[in-house]
């Protein structure tokens, strides 16, 4: 995969997309992701159903996530290899932002 193309196409991630991807460190369905994000952020972020399912649909179509099962009419998703790469690139980008901010605050 061409890293530059992935960076140009997907980065920066929206906050909702970022949290969807990190939530899929294990297989989850959409509602489970919504609950996980709310818990992870101590209620700061509540992803609405429209945002959630719009993200899941787009991410699945673009190959960032895959549907691996269906339970009680709920699709279960997990990160694809492409999704893992995009998430890693985003984490590196965010680390760079934080490092630059810390360095500038020291000056």
């Amino acid at each position: 995969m061409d890293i530059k193309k992935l960076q140009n196409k997907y980065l920066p991630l929206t906050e909702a997309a970022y949290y969807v991807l990190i939530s899929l460190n294990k297989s989850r369905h959409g509602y489970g992701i919504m609950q996980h994000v709310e818990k992870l952020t101590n209620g700061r972020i509540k992803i609405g159903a429209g945002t959630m399912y719009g993200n899941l649909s787009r991410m699945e179509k673009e190959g960032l996530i895959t549907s691996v099962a269906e339970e009680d009419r709920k699709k279960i998703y997990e990160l694809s290899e492409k999704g893992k790469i995009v998430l890693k690139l985003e984490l590196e980008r965010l680390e760079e932002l934080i490092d630059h901010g810390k360095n500038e605050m020291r000056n």
Side-chain angles (χ1 to χ4, degrees), residues 45-60:
I45 297 175
K46 295 177 183 174
I47 300 176
T51 299
M52 173 57 61
Y53 293 104
N55 269 300
L56 291 174
S57 175
R58 180 184 56 79
M59 289 177 174
E60 186 176 23

Side-chain angles (χ1 to χ4, degrees), residues 20 26 36 44 48 56 60 70 94-95 106:
V20 168
K26 71 178 217 177
H36 180 73
R44 183 178 70 82
L56 291 174
E60 186 176 23
E70 196 167 313
L94 293 171
E95 286 172 350
R106 286 187 199 115

Side-chain angles (χ1 to χ4, degrees), residues 9-27:
K9 182 169 184 171
Y10 295 108
L11 302 187
L13 292 174
T14 65
E15 195 169 36
Y18 173 78
Y19 277 105
V20 168
L21 291 179
I22 66 169
S23 294
L24 290 173
N25 65 332
K26 71 178 217 177
S27 300

Side-chain angles (χ1 to χ4, degrees), residues 11 83-93 95:
L11 302 187
K84 289 176 185 176
I85 292 168
V86 168
L87 182 55
K88 180 180 179 287
L89 292 170
E90 179 68 347
L91 289 169
E92 290 170 356
R93 187 189 73 80
E95 286 172 350

